Amino acid sequence: MLRQLYIKNFTLIDELDIELHPGFSVITGETGAGKSIILGAIGLLLGQRADSKTIKQGADRCVIEAHFDLSRYQLQPFFDENDIDYDATDCIIRRELTAAGKSRAFVNDTPVALSLLKELGDMLVDVHSQHQNLLLGKQDFQREVVDTLAKDQEILASYQQAYTAYHDKQRALQQLRQEMERDRQNLDFLQFQYDELANAQLVEDEQEEMEQQRETMTHSEDIKTALYETQTHLVADEQGVLPLLRQSISAIRTIAKVYPASEEWIARMESCQIELKDIAQDVDSQLERIDFDPQELERINQRLDKIYDLQKKYHAETVGELIQQRDQLGHQLSQIENSDEAVASLQAELTQLQSQCQQHADKLTKARQKAAKEIERQLRERLVPLGMPHVRFEVAITKGDLRKDGQDDIAFLFSANTSSPLQPVAQVASGGEIARVMLSLKAMISGAVKLPTIIFDEIDTGVSGKIAERMAEIMQEMGANDRQVISITHLPQIAALGTTHYRVVKQESKAGTTTRMQLLNPEERIHEIAQMLSGSDISAAAIQNAKELLKS
């Protein structure tokens, strides 16, 4: 419930601090007094987008703040999920706008995003304006009304889960078929690519080995010369390293007994001798192998040219990447070959999911059909006292394709008399009839949804007299059922039935035009209703009529 509203520097309001009450309240005032301004401020609190032009001229900042009592509405889980402090008896929502165009929102002093503010606002206040009457012609709105009164949220959630699985599988099957069609169109080209890579008989690391072989053959004479010289220096009879080393070892041994330190030298030189012998043998072995073979070099060059061409063609850096592409092409060809089986498997899964989705859709339809009968009954009961004695109303439900909200096409059909055929309500109902239908629907919805505050902005358009009085009684009943109902009205019959009465006035002064809102005492209320009855010249009869309205 909205307990208190504070507005500062918003369009024509310099400062407004008003306490609001439970039950059925009415707000009156002359056209242009600023009632829509107050609604605009409330709209900003509910997450509507802001415009810096709404800040009062000359001010640099606008503040709108509201205090709510949430103690009867089990909203703590929302606050816990969004890490916001929860105070059931005093929830404070604040919106700040600056002349520079900046906007900030707070819930219990915690900064929040506009989307979160709107989500919370939708749970706290329902503002019904004349613009909302247009929703009566929208199938989405009609379906939401039926679902709300059917209380089928669990059934709808189960259906939507099944539909999501079915829809995802449907897309997967469609994508597979598109890929199959694309692959089959490219089958010859894919096969050609695979055959070309497969026939190349590629071997991992062969490129590096052949490039090394080519380097060796290309420089074979230089290599042989270097190896020959090395062999000569190591093993030449007189000047070779090994013969000279043997001589050195023999010389040292002659002094080993008299010079013990030479023992270590002998061991180290013998170790060097063994290593040098191995090197000499390896060099000799390699010397015999090095040979220039023009035919082999030609074969290597041809093989490398083939590999280079494939790498350029397939944008690969290594033979390993070519092998990987060959294997991928093979897998792709295998998939094309087995694609009919894959499609059949997916189709079987899709059929099963469609069957499950259809079962949930049928349950949803039954729940909606049951609710539709109750809506028809209640609406007739409510509309007859509202001046429609011969009204006919039908919630037509026909089956269409499976979609996210079910497969039901819902239409509200209406006729104000027995002779006219039923037609979509938005096409045949007058403005006053639509207002009465919407009020009746709102009364029904308010019984199913524990919405703390409902605001009606001139729901009485197109009605008067006893009908207006009956509409006021409906709003009064709604306000008595643990919720707050506020009606902005121009009709004295509605204003007289409010538990509390507020008046919005526009005042002119040297400082400019300002809007004020005040709670009326009993005497002020009589005067306001009398003025609504007779205009600016209030007669004694109007005063008496106002008293009678309030008394009744």
Side-chain angles (χ1 to χ4, degrees), residues 215-238:
E215 282 294 301
T216 299
M217 291 187 113
T218 303
H219 299 87
S220 60
E221 290 301 321
D222 295 336
I223 294 171
K224 288 179 72 172
T225 299
L227 293 179
Y228 179 78
E229 290 181 359
T230 300
Q231 180 75 355
T232 301
H233 292 320
L234 286 173
V235 300
D237 291 339
E238 294 183 1

Side-chain angles (χ1 to χ4, degrees), residues 449-546:
V449 180
K450 292 294 184 181
L451 193 67
T453 300
I454 303 173
I455 301 175
F456 291 105
D457 181 18
E458 299 185 5
I459 189 70
D460 49 30
T461 299
V463 299
S464 60
K466 285 290 184 182
I467 296 174
E469 187 177 338
R470 179 55 191 149
M471 292 178 73
E473 289 171 356
I474 292 174
M475 289 185 276
Q476 196 177 51
E477 291 169 9
M478 293 170 63
N481 192 19
D482 287 341
R483 61 182 51 82
Q484 180 184 47
V485 177
I486 301 171
S487 176
I488 297 174
T489 182
H490 288 292
L491 297 182
Q493 293 88 349
I494 292 179
L497 284 181
T499 307
T500 51
H501 189 158
Y502 301 89
R503 179 176 59 193
V504 176
V505 295
K506 185 189 292 185
Q507 296 178 339
E508 302 286 347
S509 67
K510 293 182 179 179
T513 304
T514 58
T515 291
R516 295 276 185 269
M517 178 176 171
Q518 65 184 88
L519 175 64
L520 301 182
N521 61 35
E523 286 298 320
E524 291 170 333
R525 192 171 185 191
I526 292 171
H527 185 275
E528 176 71 6
I529 294 175
Q531 189 173 44
M532 295 172 74
L533 286 165
S534 64
S536 56
D537 295 329
I538 302 175
S539 64
I543 293 290
Q544 186 59 37
N545 285 340

Side-chain angles (χ1 to χ4, degrees), residues 410-427:
I410 297 176
F412 286 179
L413 304 180
F414 172 87
S415 175
N417 51 65
T418 55
S419 60
S420 300
L422 287 166
Q423 295 185 57
V425 61
Q427 296 179 15

Side-chain angles (χ1 to χ4, degrees), residues 13-26:
I13 299 175
D14 51 6
E15 188 168 28
L16 170 67
D17 192 357
I18 192 79
E19 183 180 351
L20 297 160
H21 299 274
F24 178 40
S25 300
V26 293

Side-chain angles (χ1 to χ4, degrees), residues 121-342:
D122 289 342
M123 293 186 284
L124 297 180
V125 181
D126 176 19
V127 178
H128 180 88
S129 63
Q130 293 185 53
H131 173 72
Q132 264 201 319
N133 287 341
L134 300 175
L135 292 175
L136 199 53
K138 306 291 185 181
Q139 189 175 125
D140 287 347
F141 173 76
Q142 296 173 357
R143 186 178 55 254
E144 288 173 6
V145 169
V146 173
D147 284 337
T148 299
L149 295 171
K151 298 182 179 179
D152 59 10
Q153 284 71 27
E154 290 186 7
I155 300 174
L156 179 59
S158 297
Y159 167 79
Q160 288 177 334
Q161 185 176 2
Y163 176 77
T164 298
Y166 165 66
H167 184 60
D168 289 347
K169 191 66 68 176
Q170 206 173 30
R171 285 193 302 176
L173 179 59
Q174 182 182 7
Q175 184 177 353
L176 177 61
R177 283 175 170 157
Q178 289 174 347
E179 290 175 355
M180 281 174 53
E181 180 63 25
R182 186 172 60 250
D183 289 343
R184 281 175 175 165
Q185 290 175 356
N186 296 329
L187 180 60
D188 291 341
F189 180 61
L190 295 173
Q191 188 67 55
F192 169 78
Q193 287 184 312
Y194 174 76
D195 291 342
E196 184 176 42
L197 291 172
N199 292 336
Q201 297 181 337
L202 298 165
V203 179
E204 193 84 36
D205 298 330
E206 66 170 316
Q207 179 181 356
E208 291 80 2
E209 293 177 3
M210 286 190 295
E211 286 175 342
Q212 182 57 56
Q213 290 176 3
R214 184 175 62 181
E215 282 294 301
T216 299
M217 291 187 113
T218 303
H219 299 87
S220 60
E221 290 301 321
D222 295 336
I223 294 171
K224 288 179 72 172
T225 299
L227 293 179
Y228 179 78
E229 290 181 359
T230 300
Q231 180 75 355
T232 301
H233 292 320
L234 286 173
V235 300
D237 291 339
E238 294 183 1
Q239 299 300 320
V241 173
L242 283 170
L244 292 174
L245 184 58
R246 282 196 297 271
Q247 294 176 19
S248 298
I249 292 171
S250 297
I252 293 296
R253 279 199 175 112
T254 61
I255 62 171
K257 291 183 179 180
V258 299
Y259 193 61
S262 62
E263 292 288 347
E264 182 185 351
W265 299 341
I266 293 170
R268 290 167 64 187
M269 284 190 289
E270 286 177 343
S271 177
C272 291
Q273 185 181 34
I274 293 171
E275 184 67 22
L276 287 171
K277 282 183 179 180
D278 287 342
I279 292 172
Q281 290 173 358
D282 287 344
V283 170
D284 186 58
S285 174
Q286 292 296 324
L287 188 58
E288 292 178 359
R289 294 178 185 176
I290 298 299
D291 191 17
F292 177 73
D293 185 346
Q295 291 181 344
E296 178 64 14
L297 181 59
E298 178 65 18
R299 185 194 70 80
I300 290 173
N301 282 331
Q302 288 178 355
R303 180 62 175 171
L304 286 173
D305 287 343
K306 176 68 173 177
I307 291 172
Y308 295 152
D309 288 343
L310 290 174
Q311 287 175 340
K312 182 177 180 181
K313 185 175 183 178
Y314 293 95
H315 306 288
E317 296 291 333
T318 65
V319 171
E321 291 180 16
L322 289 173
I323 293 173
Q324 185 178 12
Q325 290 193 46
R326 178 200 65 194
D327 294 343
Q328 288 175 347
L329 287 165
H331 178 67
Q332 200 170 351
L333 290 169
S334 176
Q335 282 187 318
I336 295 173
E337 185 178 349
N338 300 316
S339 58
D340 290 338
E341 296 177 9

Side-chain angles (χ1 to χ4, degrees), residues 99-131:
K102 292 184 179 180
S103 170
R104 297 192 300 170
F106 303 85
V107 176
N108 292 335
D109 287 330
T110 299
V112 298
L114 201 60
S115 57
L116 185 67
L117 185 66
K118 188 177 187 308
E119 186 178 353
L120 177 59
D122 289 342
M123 293 186 284
L124 297 180
V125 181
D126 176 19
V127 178
H128 180 88
S129 63
Q130 293 185 53
H131 173 72

